[in-house]
Amino acid sequence: MSFFDRLFSPKQNDSVQDTSVLRKEDIYYPEEYTPQAADVKHIELTEKEAVRLGWSFRKKSKHIRITNYHGSETEVTVPAMIGGRRVNELGIGCFQKTSVTSVEMPDTIAKIGSDLFNRSTISRIVFSDSIRVIPAGLCQNSFLLEEVHLPILLSVIGDGAFTACRNLNHIELPNHITFHHSGKEIFYQSGIESFSFNAKEYFKYYSDYLTLRDGSWFQSTPMRSKYKLVALPVEEPDTICVLMVGIRANVKFPKGSSVVMCRNSVNNDCMLDFSDCSSVSFKSNVYMDDLYDCQTYVWGYSRGYSCNAVINRNQEQLSFPDFVHVKYPDGSVRDNTLKFDRCEDRSVLLVRSVNNTIMPLGLHTGAKSIKLIAGETDNRFILNRFAIDEKNLKCIELGKFDGTDEIFSPSCHELQDVCGYMVGGCRIYHIEKHIPPSSLIGKGYRGRILHRELMKAFKDVYGDFYQQSVIDDIFCKGYVKGRYETVRLNQRDKILIAIDILRGDEIPGRNEKRTLYENYLNGHRRYAQIVCRDIYSDYPEYGDFIATYFSSDDSQ
């Protein structure tokens, strides 16, 4: 007997049914499938034949990029070779203003441009199995799209790639999509009623970075109104892994079950009763973006959403944002563990831990500057892995805290300034450190990968929130390894990192390698001045530091 048969069958025989008690039919589990390679005809054309058939293209040294299609065929197979050159790319909006209904791509295609099928008449797409990235908004508002074959080796899907594809009812997902690189709301307002994936391979690579951990993918699809929960199959016994909570769901989880709430799994009015659970785990950003606006509820701009949670006395370590109303089974209400407020100039968001309990994973407030403080100045609060997850966050100030891992999510790629409190002897030191944002040290993924690796210096290790040795290692090696690529530091990157190290406060009692960065700036003085001059309008702090730093050397 399965876990759910064993848990639910006694309740179904009761004469009086509690509508909040979870039943087997209230939960949707994805179907199992094994990805198969696409069988696409290999077509070779001469340049004249390609032009006659309606293909516009641009020749490179060894490859061909198709820029447009203006032929008369509605069912199209992209040629693999044109004029002896390999066709490896489809340009931006290639099929956007055509009457094409079906497109098949050979395995020579490795890159596709954005808006390829945006607002098109496409109904069937067979993607090349060599494609690893599907750009944002690729098929947005393609209302007739019904059938999609995704690449087997696909790793990244951009924001809203299949938004409003109303006739797309089912999707088969590959095994290696990573959610921290992929976008949000990928199938938003689409007709998705079911999906499938290879659970066996999913378990093989099981981690927080894999696909199927982000409920925003299926936001505003029929599944949210049809089921109370959309869940993922997991190997752990008696475990319910919640990918998405249904509209206005009233759910009481089975007694003895372990519940895992995935990223962006809650975004509407709901009641979640965890009081009979043996354990509850929250992944980063449990609450979706449109619910984050409800955090302005404490400032008087509530959109009217709320989430109610019932817990038992043994689950008091769980922490919820202010808009989540927490109750005990006896009806008594627990004080909110988090309070949100603004400074007088409304430039800094204050997050106060009332009960000094665990800060929520993936704290997302929409603020560019955040100050975290404990309920009482003498107490410490706890931060979990990826506790801070805010794309546009530029500055954060931490009170005394405990933690065991990286506290910043990789998506915090604009973070520049971090303040913390260090205890030395009987004194408490206020320490300020800096880090160049991703927009300064590279474009797109390059900057984000480098910024993410530099941010690993900001973690709690044996009571210290900052480990400069992490940055020292990156600076000396001159490169960092991302998941799929290696990013090398150029002179500009090193200059910016060196400036941030030198303008940060020194931690009393620490032996930090500041001479390493002083020597680098002194050896690249002229270029450092050029770099700081170019970015002065947006980042004057770098130019001001360089002017002071070299003027002090000249005076000596």
Side-chain angles (χ1 to χ4, degrees):
M1 182 179 292
S2 69
F3 166 58
F4 290 102
D5 290 335
R6 175 164 50 82
L7 284 175
F8 297 144
S9 54
K11 296 183 176 67
Q12 293 172 349
N13 294 329
D14 293 343
S15 58
V16 179
Q17 289 290 322
D18 183 352
T19 56
S20 67
V21 175
L22 199 61
R23 301 174 300 170
K24 187 176 181 180
E25 55 267 30
D26 293 331
I27 305 180
Y28 172 78
Y29 279 93
E31 303 168 16
E32 175 77 16
Y33 98 112
T34 302
Q36 301 291 332
D39 185 15
V40 178
K41 186 186 300 184
H42 189 90
I43 298 176
E44 298 186 14
L45 302 175
T46 64
E47 293 185 15
K48 290 184 178 180
E49 289 174 333
V51 172
R52 179 173 56 82
L53 291 174
W55 297 103
S56 299
F57 54 89
R58 180 174 297 175
K59 292 187 288 186
K60 300 181 180 180
S61 58
K62 296 181 180 180
H63 305 294
I64 291 284
R65 176 200 295 163
I66 291 179
T67 57
N68 195 11
Y69 176 74
H70 50 270
S72 58
E73 295 293 329
T74 58
E75 297 184 359
V76 173
T77 299
V78 178
M81 303 282 288
I82 294 180
R85 287 185 173 91
R86 179 187 175 101
V87 178
N88 77 326
E89 185 178 350
L90 297 177
I92 297 174
C94 186
F95 297 99
Q96 191 171 3
K97 297 180 180 179
T98 67
S99 58
V100 171
T101 60
S102 175
V103 170
E104 295 186 359
M105 306 176 193
D107 57 9
T108 59
I109 303 294
K111 184 178 180 181
I112 52 179
S114 60
D115 297 326
L116 196 65
F117 301 102
N118 193 338
R119 298 183 182 274
S120 69
T121 58
I122 195 72
S123 63
R124 178 175 177 268
I125 306 172
V126 178
F127 287 100
S128 163
D129 284 319
S130 299
I131 293 173
R132 293 185 177 245
V133 177
I134 289 182
L138 186 80
C139 301
Q140 187 171 352
N141 297 313
S142 295
F143 303 133
L144 303 179
L145 183 62
E146 296 180 355
E147 182 183 347
V148 174
H149 168 83
L150 293 176
I152 291 180
L153 298 179
L154 183 65
S155 60
V156 175
I157 305 180
D159 289 339
F162 297 94
T163 292
C165 295
R166 299 169 184 170
N167 283 340
L168 184 61
N169 304 129
H170 181 81
I171 194 72
E172 295 178 342
L173 297 173
N175 301 324
H176 305 293
I177 304 175
T178 55
F179 87 73
H180 67 297
H181 281 167
S182 294
K184 296 182 179 180
E185 301 179 349
I186 291 173
F187 302 101
Y188 178 76
Q189 291 186 342
S190 70
I192 294 292
E193 298 175 353
S194 61
F195 64 97
S196 56
F197 75 116
N198 190 337
K200 185 176 181 180
E201 289 298 308
Y202 175 76
F203 294 135
K204 181 178 179 181
Y205 299 100
Y206 191 85
S207 78
D208 282 344
Y209 295 106
L210 283 186
T211 184
L212 301 180
R213 305 294 273 178
D214 192 335
S216 76
W217 284 27
F218 301 100
Q219 183 181 0
S220 296
T221 61
M223 288 192 294
R224 284 188 58 235
S225 57
K226 188 175 181 180
Y227 303 100
K228 287 187 177 181
L229 298 177
V230 176
L232 301 177
V234 292
E235 289 185 321
E236 296 84 352
D238 298 355
T239 297
I240 303 176
C241 186
V242 179
L243 179 67
M244 186 168 60
V245 178
I247 297 175
R248 291 180 293 278
N250 185 3
V251 177
K252 182 178 177 63
F253 290 94
K255 186 174 182 179
S257 60
S258 297
V259 177
V260 178
M261 300 295 294
C262 289
R263 178 185 176 93
N264 294 328
S265 55
V266 179
N267 78 328
N268 49 264
D269 294 335
C270 61
M271 167 64 80
L272 304 177
D273 190 338
F274 303 109
S275 58
D276 289 340
C277 299
S278 60
S279 66
V280 183
S281 174
F282 292 89
K283 298 303 178 184
S284 56
N285 270 4
V286 168
Y287 304 97
M288 286 187 181
D289 284 347
D290 62 353
L291 191 62
Y292 293 147
D293 290 344
C294 300
Q295 291 179 349
T296 60
Y297 150 77
V298 294
W299 313 317
Y301 302 104
S302 175
R303 291 180 56 182
Y305 292 103
S306 66
C307 177
N308 297 298
V310 178
I311 63 172
N312 61 45
R313 301 286 175 179
N314 295 327
Q315 296 167 336
E316 288 190 339
Q317 77 278 7
L318 300 178
S319 183
F320 298 86
D322 189 65
F323 55 83
V324 179
H325 307 287
V326 181
K327 298 181 180 180
Y328 296 109
D330 61 7
S332 58
V333 179
R334 186 181 69 162
D335 291 337
N336 292 321
T337 59
L338 296 177
K339 292 291 185 181
F340 298 86
D341 202 357
R342 292 276 186 180
C343 289
E344 291 184 1
D345 61 359
R346 299 183 63 83
S347 62
V348 178
L349 178 70
L350 300 178
V351 183
R352 187 185 304 271
S353 178
V354 177
N355 295 332
N356 305 316
T357 55
I358 299 175
M359 297 294 292
L361 289 167
L363 178 67
H364 183 131
T365 65
K368 293 184 178 180
S369 183
I370 298 177
K371 182 177 181 180
L372 301 178
I373 54 179
E376 300 178 11
T377 55
D378 293 335
N379 292 343
R380 300 170 70 89
F381 58 85
I382 299 172
L383 288 175
N384 276 346
R385 188 169 190 254
F386 294 167
I388 312 301
D389 185 2
E390 171 53 63
K391 175 181 177 181
N392 296 316
L393 181 64
K394 296 182 181 296
C395 178
I396 186 166
E397 184 170 344
L398 300 169
K400 294 181 293 183
F401 72 96
D402 292 318
T404 57
D405 210 328
E406 300 167 47
I407 62 174
F408 297 106
S409 164
S411 64
C412 296
H413 52 261
E414 291 304 313
L415 189 66
Q416 300 175 56
D417 302 325
V418 183
C419 303
Y421 294 92
M422 304 293 294
V423 179
C426 297
R427 297 187 59 187
I428 297 178
Y429 298 95
H430 180 269
I431 305 297
E432 185 172 351
K433 295 294 183 180
H434 311 281
I435 185 173
S438 65
S439 56
L440 269 182
I441 50 178
K443 294 182 179 180
Y445 289 129
R446 181 190 183 279
R448 296 183 188 183
I449 291 171
L450 181 52
H451 187 263
R452 181 189 64 200
E453 295 301 313
L454 293 173
M455 277 203 305
K456 289 182 179 180
F458 298 100
K459 65 171 72 176
D460 185 80
V461 181
Y462 306 113
D464 295 329
F465 89 106
Y466 174 75
Q467 294 291 310
Q468 186 180 302
S469 58
V470 174
I471 299 179
D472 293 342
D473 184 56
I474 293 173
F475 194 88
C476 293
K477 289 193 304 184
Y479 68 90
V480 298
K481 286 190 175 182
R483 190 176 180 87
Y484 301 107
E485 59 182 308
T486 298
V487 174
R488 299 193 177 278
L489 276 67
N490 54 36
Q491 287 186 5
R492 185 176 184 276
D493 300 330
K494 289 192 170 185
I495 286 171
L496 294 172
I497 293 172
I499 291 174
D500 276 337
I501 291 289
L502 295 176
R503 70 190 184 98
D505 296 335
E506 293 190 66
I507 298 178
R510 288 273 193 91
N511 182 20
E512 298 177 350
K513 298 179 181 179
R514 299 174 74 88
T515 55
L516 171 68
Y517 303 98
E518 292 171 351
N519 293 337
Y520 192 85
L521 281 186
N522 292 332
H524 299 79
R525 174 171 178 162
R526 178 60 181 159
Y527 188 53
Q529 292 172 331
I530 294 174
V531 168
C532 293
R533 182 193 63 196
D534 292 342
I535 64 174
Y536 191 83
S537 59
D538 295 321
Y539 302 94
E541 59 271 20
Y542 289 91
D544 293 342
F545 174 83
I546 282 293
T548 304
Y549 180 78
F550 286 130
S551 64
S552 62
D553 286 349
D554 294 339
S555 62
Q556 293 176 1

